[in-house]
Amino acid sequence: MRIVMLLVALLVPMAAMAEPGIPALTVNTEADGGQSYSLTIQVLAIMTLLTLLPAALLTMTSFTRIIIVLAILRQALGTPQSPPNQVLLGLALFLTLFIMGPVLNTAWTDGVKPYLDGDLEATVAFTTSTQPFREFMLAQTRETDLELFARIAGGASFDSAEDVPLTLLVPAFVTSELKTAFQIGFLVFIPFLIIDLVVASVLMSMGMMMLSPMLISLPFKIMLFVLVDGWALLVETMAASFFI
């Protein structure tokens, strides 16, 4: 329920431009006595934002890094269909909720709940709700990525982190997350790549050139991953990477 409220809170600036009660339909009476119906611009804008908001909010969390690492792990194991996409997405979402728990709680307590109770204005509630996300993204974003987008924006300079706008911070954060995810994915890929090379060399020395090395190495990679408790290690590593 709190996640839904946080999504709604990010729509506050759009809703604030209209009256508290936005008419969903406008009824127009024609000259011949007929009636025509039309949606208001505000409702159409909010409906459009609702379709884009979940993706926008996920890019401001740890979801990007987690889902990319899980996808690289599946590719390294040589099982492109297992675990299925639904399982990886579910695991990534729940890990995101676990990692982002303090951020979501702070945004709810300081911004969304006071706004719903009528204690804060819309613009103030939006600023307060996004502040925990800003702090999280700034802690995970490399300075070089911030400088890159500042340079692209025309060499803008900022006196403090509070002055960095979300339009610059979010793409810098996503770029930094992509870089970190591929670095972790590279380290995950190496052990499985070594197994593939060893199996391929053994098969080549035995003259079994027509036998696919991937078919032989697959059970060994799965066995290695299970023996070292790979899922627990991977989840712990990804969670710890956000709290360093």
Side-chain angles (χ1 to χ4, degrees):
M1 184 65 182
R2 291 188 178 184
I3 302 300
V4 176
M5 293 302 181
L6 286 172
L7 291 175
V8 175
L10 295 180
L11 288 175
V12 164
M14 176 61 69
M17 294 186 298
E19 295 297 327
I22 301 176
L25 289 173
T26 301
V27 181
N28 301 317
T29 304
E30 305 292 342
D32 56 359
Q35 293 181 335
S36 62
Y37 303 89
S38 62
L39 286 173
T40 60
I41 298 298
Q42 292 92 337
V43 172
L44 288 175
I46 292 177
M47 291 175 62
T48 302
L49 284 176
L50 282 175
T51 60
L52 301 175
L53 192 59
L57 185 61
L58 284 177
T59 58
M60 299 167 62
T61 65
S62 58
F63 181 82
T64 302
R65 183 187 306 184
I66 294 172
I67 194 63
I68 291 177
V69 172
L70 292 177
I72 293 177
L73 170 65
R74 186 172 64 176
Q75 189 70 26
L77 282 171
T79 56
Q81 301 299 327
S82 183
N85 291 331
Q86 292 86 345
V87 174
L88 290 187
L89 285 173
L91 177 60
L93 284 173
F94 278 103
L95 282 177
T96 300
L97 289 176
F98 171 75
I99 294 170
M100 300 296 298
V103 176
L104 296 175
N105 287 333
T106 302
W108 168 266
T109 304
D110 297 344
V112 179
K113 192 175 184 301
Y115 171 73
L116 296 177
D117 294 338
D119 298 331
L120 287 180
E121 296 182 355
T123 54
V124 177
F126 176 77
T127 303
T128 307
S129 299
T130 55
Q131 183 61 30
F133 290 92
R134 290 176 56 88
E135 295 175 357
F136 173 80
M137 289 187 290
L138 284 170
Q140 303 298 326
T141 305
R142 295 176 174 83
E143 292 184 5
T144 54
D145 293 322
L146 283 173
E147 294 173 357
L148 168 65
F149 281 92
R151 186 168 63 252
I152 295 175
S157 59
F158 307 100
D159 297 332
S160 64
E162 299 295 330
D163 299 330
V164 180
L166 283 176
T167 53
L168 189 149
L169 177 58
V170 173
F173 169 73
V174 175
T175 303
S176 186
E177 285 293 282
L178 290 173
K179 188 183 301 182
T180 303
F182 276 95
Q183 288 176 347
I184 298 175
F186 171 78
L187 297 177
V188 170
F189 213 107
I190 290 299
F192 302 107
L193 179 61
I194 294 175
I195 294 177
D196 286 333
L197 291 175
V198 171
V199 171
S201 300
V202 172
L203 292 178
M204 186 71 68
S205 63
M206 296 175 64
M208 299 180 179
M209 292 176 292
M210 301 301 294
L211 186 60
S212 173
M214 297 293 295
L215 182 63
I216 304 301
S217 63
L218 178 59
F220 291 100
K221 291 190 289 188
I222 294 177
M223 180 182 65
L224 172 66
F225 192 68
V226 172
L227 288 177
V228 300
D229 199 8
W231 287 111
L233 288 175
L234 186 65
V235 168
E236 181 182 2
T237 300
M238 286 192 296
S241 67
F242 289 97
F243 298 107
I244 295 177

